[in-house]
Amino acid sequence: PAPRDPVAAAIVRARMNAELTQDQLAERLHTHQGNIARLERGRTQATVRTLKRIATATGNRLVIDFRK
């Protein structure tokens, strides 16, 4: 099931579009797979720095936008 948290869902999409497992993404970020799992379930909130690192590791760029 897709995460309810839109940030968590975006992390999952970025990882899957890059055809990476949680282990592979964790390796690229020099962290543990469990940390990736917690981010993807929305159990922890990623910092902007972490989101930038995930974007880079998955071949994306991070875009943050405020809209009305």
Side-chain angles (χ1 to χ4, degrees), residues 2-23:
R4 289 184 177 167
D5 177 3
V7 174
I11 293 169
V12 172
R13 271 194 314 276
R15 177 179 61 77
M16 294 188 80
N17 287 340
E19 298 181 352
L20 296 172
T21 65
Q22 287 183 348
D23 281 324

Side-chain angles (χ1 to χ4, degrees), residues 10-51:
I11 293 169
V12 172
R13 271 194 314 276
R15 177 179 61 77
M16 294 188 80
N17 287 340
E19 298 181 352
L20 296 172
T21 65
Q22 287 183 348
D23 281 324
Q24 291 168 325
L25 180 57
E27 186 175 316
R28 290 183 182 196
L29 297 177
H30 305 286
T31 190
H32 298 281
Q33 176 273 332
N35 294 333
I36 303 301
R38 280 189 289 282
L39 287 170
E40 290 187 356
R41 285 193 309 261
R43 293 204 180 251
T44 58
Q45 291 294 312
T47 63
V48 172
R49 179 178 181 261
T50 299
L51 292 173

